[in-house]
Amino acid sequence: MSLPSANVEVSALVKRFRGVEVLRGVDLTFESGRVSALLGPSGSGKSTLLRCMMGLEEFDAGSVRVGDVTLAAGPARKHAQERRALQQRAGLVFQQWHLFPHRSALENVMEAPVHVRRVPVAEARQKARELLAQVGLAERMDAMPRDLSGGEQQRCAIARALAMEPRVLFLDEPTSALDPQRAVALSELLRGLVASRGLTLVCVTHDIAFAERVAQDLVVLHAGEVVERGEAAAVINAPKDSRTRELLARG
């Protein structure tokens, strides 16, 4: 099913940890219905930016807009309503996946629709079956997380995020626990999901090969600042900034 997608707009975003600026006035737009990758060395602010865009991290200045919802800087309690609305429009697949260990793959995917959106159990079960089939787990629905491979656990986590029908999907280091073959399979899955569901997809990654396969647009962060952005192939094949060239050479 294709859902309305949404732009993600980050304006003059500043984030400080203990007085140190880790995001320094970031301005970015991730376009509706496209796959974008965020590259950068460790400590560049990639995952922090992702958490700010998802409404999981307070920030000190600027704003984040997802579709028709704008989240301003300041304490979480001050913007609780906007954070909830943003998180209804966006889903996040964490690096560690965080599946419930005592629930099957099917039950993991059903959990949030039933308990957060109050979807009837039978409807949630049918939707979960469809999503698990879409991510290639049709034969593993009753398996417990401990019996799933790393790639299968990740696919289950993606299905769980999609069960809330987000317009935007964020992924944090999606290939960190995958071998090269599974990373290729993941890139194919994600491109297929964007095409079939109309998602806006943003991946934070260290994996340059994965970014090249999956992304249409590429953003490079360094020390909390955007140093380069553009179409993925153009940035990878002809980087303009020396910090991008250094990052790609190390990758």
Side-chain angles (χ1 to χ4, degrees):
M1 176 180 62
S2 179
L3 297 171
S5 51
N7 281 1
V8 179
E9 300 174 8
V10 180
S11 301
L13 194 143
V14 174
K15 171 67 180 178
R16 301 184 184 95
F17 281 123
R18 298 175 183 173
V20 176
E21 279 192 353
V22 296
L23 294 173
R24 304 176 178 181
V26 172
D27 288 295
L28 281 172
T29 297
F30 298 100
E31 291 188 10
S32 172
R34 291 179 67 84
V35 182
S36 301
L38 274 169
L39 282 178
S42 296
S44 61
K46 303 185 304 297
S47 291
T48 299
L49 176 58
L50 193 89
R51 292 177 64 83
C52 289
M53 290 191 291
M54 186 63 195
L56 298 175
E57 195 82 61
E58 297 176 2
F59 45 94
D60 298 283
S63 65
V64 172
R65 183 177 178 86
V66 176
D68 58 349
V69 176
T70 299
L71 180 63
R77 63 182 180 279
K78 183 179 177 181
H79 303 294
Q81 183 175 346
E82 291 84 354
R83 289 160 70 92
R84 285 194 298 271
L86 187 152
Q87 289 164 9
Q88 289 174 358
R89 289 156 175 77
L92 172 61
V93 179
F94 292 93
Q95 185 174 349
Q96 300 300 322
W97 309 319
H98 300 303
L99 297 176
F100 296 113
H102 60 293
R103 297 190 182 280
S104 68
L106 184 67
E107 291 167 337
N108 264 279
V109 178
M110 291 174 57
E111 182 81 9
V114 170
H115 294 288
V116 177
R117 297 181 60 216
R118 306 300 181 189
V119 174
V121 171
E123 180 182 338
R125 181 179 293 110
Q126 179 59 33
K127 181 70 173 179
R129 289 181 179 278
E130 293 171 3
L131 286 168
L132 286 167
Q134 189 174 10
V135 300
L137 293 179
E139 307 301 323
R140 304 289 280 154
M141 295 185 187
D142 296 324
M144 304 300 285
R146 64 178 177 271
D147 299 319
L148 298 173
S149 70
E152 289 173 335
Q153 289 186 52
Q154 184 179 59
R155 285 169 179 258
C156 184
I158 291 170
R160 184 176 62 179
L162 293 175
M164 294 297 284
E165 299 189 350
R167 298 168 66 185
V168 177
L169 185 62
F170 296 112
L171 294 98
D172 191 10
E173 298 290 358
T175 63
S176 63
L178 302 182
D179 60 36
Q181 184 177 358
R182 288 195 174 97
V184 170
L186 176 64
S187 66
E188 293 171 353
L189 169 66
L190 294 175
R191 291 295 293 264
L193 288 173
V194 169
S196 65
R197 301 178 66 85
L199 289 169
T200 304
L201 195 146
V202 181
C203 297
V204 161
T205 184
H206 282 89
D207 187 338
I208 295 166
F210 173 76
E212 188 172 18
R213 281 192 302 269
V214 76
Q216 296 157 295
D217 304 307
L218 193 64
V219 175
V220 180
L221 287 180
H222 187 276
E225 297 179 322
V226 176
V227 298
E228 194 151 357
R229 73 185 83 174
E231 291 191 4
V235 173
I236 290 172
N237 294 323
K240 298 176 181 178
D241 191 277
S242 61
R243 291 161 292 187
T244 304
R245 290 194 291 270
E246 181 180 351
L247 176 68
L248 295 174
R250 290 204 305 266

